[in-house]
Amino acid sequence: MREIGHFVGGKSVKGTSGRWGEVFDPNTGEVQARVAMAKHAEVEHAVAVAEAAQPAWASTNPQRRARVLFRFLELVQNEHDSLAALLSSEHGKIHADARGDIQRGLEVVEFACGIPHLLKGEFSDSAGPGIDLYSLRQPLGVVAGITPFNFPAMIPMWKFAPAIACGNAFILKPSERAPSVPLRLAELMGEAGLPPGILNVVNGDKEAVDTLLTDPRVRAIGFVGSSAIAEYIYSTGCANGKRVQCFGGAKNHMIVMPDADMDQAVDALVGAGYGSAGERCMAISVAVPVGEKTADRLLEKLVPRVEALKIGPSSDKQADYGPMVTKSHLDKVRDYVDLGVREGAKLVVDGRGFRLQGYENGFFLGGCLFDAVEPHMRIYKEEIFGPVLSVVRARDYEEALRLPSEHEYGNGVAIFTRDGDAARDFVNRVNVGMVGVNFAIPVPLAYHTFGGWKRSGFGDLNQHGPDAVRFYTKTKTVTSRWPSGTKAGTEFVIPTMR
Ligand code: NAD
């Protein structure tokens, strides 16, 4: 059995804990490798290696740090296809989608290549007699990222690229379900010229995470995953004096107004609801048509599209989506579909019986569509994270606006309409972090920031964009008086620079 270890100090290292996790091929259901679960001492060692390497990296000038990232971009682009195939083989997403996963990560690397500009700081000339005031952004030291299974390339890059560009050393704890791409990315950073110890990958579970959370040498933690773990990491990290940002689960609504272009809305809904088997934090999982007539028109077009979804192995270029990541996740999603039926929602497309010839043991689920879902139902309240879309019929616009606004999650939301007034009102009033207007998956580009509200995000700063630089640096503000000959005299009151 292939064994997957760690990457520490610029090289691959074997796991020594004797504890392993299973890495599946979701297409066949077979275990394709086992991944080492790092023990406390192994994580502590990685932190020590990072801490020793970091000062020299921090004093490497930012343009040189950027050059490493420029080379990394090129190396990843050269391997885009093989990396995507590796990613699909553990995650199950189709090849084109895996390429997109890598591409959206590379865009944040491109952003981080601008680090000399991003770190310029602020300067106030002559704030007082001979006095200049300026601020510097300095790295934190050793920082860590804990990432989920569903974007094995993008989210690690969102974390480590800005952190490293800012002069930090980084410990990545990727998902144990899809560990190979993060390891390969770390190797490529080494090939791009990153000094050993600046990017380390430790595979593992709660033991590894808890070590990072309590080790005082780790100054900041960025997490992406489910909300329960996000909350745990946020509170434990903060209690241990760290800077922490955690991004959690989601229940993203798409409001369909009576005047929406229904073909455009249905196209968007099918892609955003079922792409990547619904295993996206920005997937649309709730459609909210406004008014009974809109709902009927939507369902009329939506049902045949869901029935016609093409589900195939991740290598199938014609497939709309592939298998789910693991059997236990497939079972969980299927249980939610059973639950929805028991709760009284109307299952208008039932994908539970889907079987793929030649891949009978793969983790496949056909597209499921519920109508008549109500806000008190668990299938509405909880994140399902699978190819299951719920239709909640709203009587009017105000009710449609209230649904996402009052939901406990607040990651993404979309409105489809031709009415600029309605769209503008929605953008202003909806209580959700990322909003799309006639755009179903409003994941901001790298130079803006990404982050949800309510139980989708814990902490003050978002991911990537300017917030990433703020998160991975601390500000030092300097008040400096030159020439030294300026006579200040002795002052016993607070300086006011009159
Ligand atoms: P998860 O919470 O199970 O795991 C995320 C990370 O936490 C993994 O590295 C995992 O090893 C670690 N972990 C798991 N249990 C832990 C524990 N008890 N203690 C400490 N660490 C633990 O999430 P997942 O299933 O890998 O990913 C799917 C979830 O991530 C969904 O809820 C999805 O909405 C969310 N997600 C959110 C965003 C966002 O930006 N808001 C983006 C992608 C995914």
Side-chain angles (χ1 to χ4, degrees), residues 146-151 155 173-177 204-206 209 223-227 229 232-233 247-250 281 383 385 411 450 456 463:
I146 299 152
T147 55
F149 80 85
N150 69 321
F151 280 101
I155 296 180
K173 206 305 283 170
S175 170
E176 63 282 18
R177 286 178 266 177
D205 52 12
K206 183 167 164 53
V209 171
F223 169 88
V224 180
S226 56
S227 288
I229 311 294
Y232 166 72
I233 288 179
F247 301 93
C281 68
E383 181 182 49
F385 220 55
N411 214 37
F450 178 109
S456 297
Q463 306 189 86

Side-chain angles (χ1 to χ4, degrees), residues 206-347:
K206 183 167 164 53
E207 182 171 342
V209 171
D210 284 346
T211 307
L212 293 169
L213 284 172
T214 51
D215 191 317
R217 296 168 296 181
V218 176
R219 302 307 313 148
I221 299 217
F223 169 88
V224 180
S226 56
S227 288
I229 311 294
E231 201 164 19
Y232 166 72
I233 288 179
Y234 187 69
S235 54
T236 313
C238 290
N240 282 277
K242 299 184 197 315
R243 188 177 286 187
V244 193
Q245 57 172 198
C246 294
F247 301 93
K251 198 80 179 176
N252 307 313
H253 296 54
M254 181 171 136
I255 314 303
V256 183
M257 295 293 283
D259 66 349
D261 176 332
M262 201 53 83
D263 290 322
Q264 188 195 47
V266 168
D267 276 345
L269 198 46
V270 172
Y274 298 93
S276 199
E279 292 171 327
R280 286 187 187 135
C281 68
M282 290 293 275
I284 295 289
S285 48
V286 182
V288 186
V290 175
E292 285 299 326
K293 276 195 197 139
T294 313
D296 293 342
R297 281 168 50 227
L298 177 73
L299 265 295
E300 194 188 323
K301 286 183 187 277
L302 188 57
V303 169
R305 293 289 299 275
V306 178
E307 285 170 341
L309 282 168
K310 186 157 173 2
I311 300 130
S314 51
S315 57
D316 180 352
K317 288 204 164 57
Q318 308 305 319
D320 296 320
Y321 69 85
M324 317 219 54
V325 66
T326 56
K327 171 83 165 56
S328 63
H329 188 56
L330 170 69
D331 290 344
K332 182 183 139 190
V333 174
R334 205 181 274 157
D335 287 349
Y336 268 114
V337 182
D338 296 344
L339 172 70
V341 174
R342 286 201 305 280
E343 287 183 308
K346 207 164 131 196
L347 186 59

Side-chain angles (χ1 to χ4, degrees), residues 20 104 119 177 204 237 249 263 289 307 314 357 369 380 393 416 437 455 461 468 476:
W20 301 92
R104 291 303 302 253
L119 283 180
R177 286 178 266 177
D263 290 322
E307 285 170 341
S314 51
Q357 212 183 354
L369 178 65
Y380 174 73
R393 293 170 177 241
F416 275 65
V437 176
R455 279 179 59 76
L461 294 169
K476 184 177 279 176

Side-chain angles (χ1 to χ4, degrees), residues 84-99:
L86 183 61
L87 194 158
S88 292
S89 75
E90 292 181 351
H91 177 286
K93 64 176 78 174
I94 55 172
H95 187 78
D97 200 28
R99 280 186 61 93

